[in-house]
Amino acid sequence: QVSDTETITDGHRWPRQNSVCIIFLSLSMREWDIPYDELQIGDEIGAGRFGKVYRGYWHGDVAIKVLNMEYVNDEKTLEQFKMEVSTFRKTRHENLVLFMGACMKPPRLAIVTSLSKGNTLYTLIHLRKDKFNMNKTTIVAQQIAQGMGYLHAKGILHKDLKTKNIFLENGKVVITDFGLFSVTKLCHGNRKGDSLGIPPGWLCYLAPELVRSLHAHQAHNEDLPFGKASDVYAFGTVWYELLCGEWPFKGQPPEAIIWQVGKGMKQPLANLQASRDVKDILMLCWSFHAKDRPDFIRLLNILDKLPKKRLARSPSHPIHLSRSAES
Ligand code: ATP
């Protein structure tokens, strides 16, 4: 029995005043719903916190992220997944992975994006040990800041910016996994008993306000206080990795990192051979108070003003960028 003030959409009862919005959302979501059977699933590329990623085919090569359904077991979680997907479809920027659609019918939840053919910055920096010269570092950082500035202008927080989520394809940066942190959190399998599961290499991207709100008995659905400024903090860490080839607080146990970051201590930069301007970017992004961190527009301005080394050019050889760090 539906009352005069209610509408039923997707099996839910909604107050009539919200129904127009909800019907609209539900119709526009349908446009992005890919029937699972239409996907040709190929080899597994890798596994992350929220499930497995496969190479696949759907009107061309795609990456298919299949969610670990163990944790998506109620209506509320499913709605949250749909909401996250709805933010994804608003993005059109050359430095952001192309969202193509999603399978939204349980038990098969998956996100379909363009397939990145390059390597992640994580692979280039930490596994291949490629060296990025200053020009290359700046160009890569500018593209990350452009993609992130666009996301923030659209009101979307990344929440998980890290070198594992940044691809480099023929010199072009492609950022992935934005806005999916809550889904990741819902699907994570890192938790052991009552303790807080900390994936390796995750802590050094967390701003002090996030680190200070972590606690051992964190509830699955408890939100961390993410904001635009916490994305900027993570960008600072990516800038450090590009410059140094390693993570800040390298080799230190999680408790030591949590304690230092929570107290406002930073990775010392004495051994980093870089100009004042370059180090200032780190200090700004890693500011203890979120309000002191620059936004991506200001960062782009700062990056643009960094002195550019002139590249050796002979009449017979056009400008040549070191390809050592290119994929
Ligand atoms: P975490 O879960 O901690 O974020 P992760 O980033 O490695 O770790 P996923 O994002 O699930 O986890 O990715 C798993 C693997 O799939 C990684 O090797 C990643 O580089 C790869 N991958 C993810 N998205 C794409 C894509 N669009 N194109 C190609 N490979 C991808």
Side-chain angles (χ1 to χ4, degrees), residues 45-53 63 65 97 113-117 120 160 162 164-165 167 176-177 184 199:
I45 304 177
R49 275 171 287 169
F50 82 103
K52 289 185 175 167
V53 180
K65 294 193 165 223
V97 76
T113 65
S114 57
L115 180 74
S116 294
K117 301 248 161 71
T120 61
D160 200 17
K162 56 184 184 178
K164 273 190 173 181
N165 288 337
F167 281 86
T176 65
D177 272 3
T184 308

Side-chain angles (χ1 to χ4, degrees), residues 98-112:
L98 177 69
F99 170 73
M100 299 181 72
C103 303
M104 292 185 267
K105 286 193 187 65
R108 283 167 171 165
L109 297 187
I111 293 165
V112 182

Side-chain angles (χ1 to χ4, degrees), residues 49 74 76-77 80 84 159 180-188 191 194-197 202 206 209-226:
R49 275 171 287 169
D74 60 85
K76 197 175 155 228
T77 313
Q80 201 168 343
E84 301 262 329
K159 301 185 185 175
L180 285 178
F181 184 80
S182 312
V183 172
T184 308
K185 199 174 45 154
L186 298 165
C187 304
H188 70 90
R191 195 176 298 271
D194 261 358
S195 67
L196 174 70
W202 180 55
L206 291 191
E209 63 274 18
L210 301 179
V211 165
R212 289 167 75 100
S213 21
L214 290 175
H215 54 87
H217 305 284
Q218 193 107 4
H220 275 204
N221 55 1
E222 196 177 324
D223 281 329
L224 289 170
F226 288 105

Side-chain angles (χ1 to χ4, degrees), residues 300-316:
L300 275 167
N301 229 314
I302 299 173
L303 288 166
D304 200 40
K305 292 204 177 92
L306 288 181
K308 290 167 195 70
K309 272 217 184 87
R310 286 196 183 282
L311 300 160
R313 204 185 339 183
S314 74
S316 55

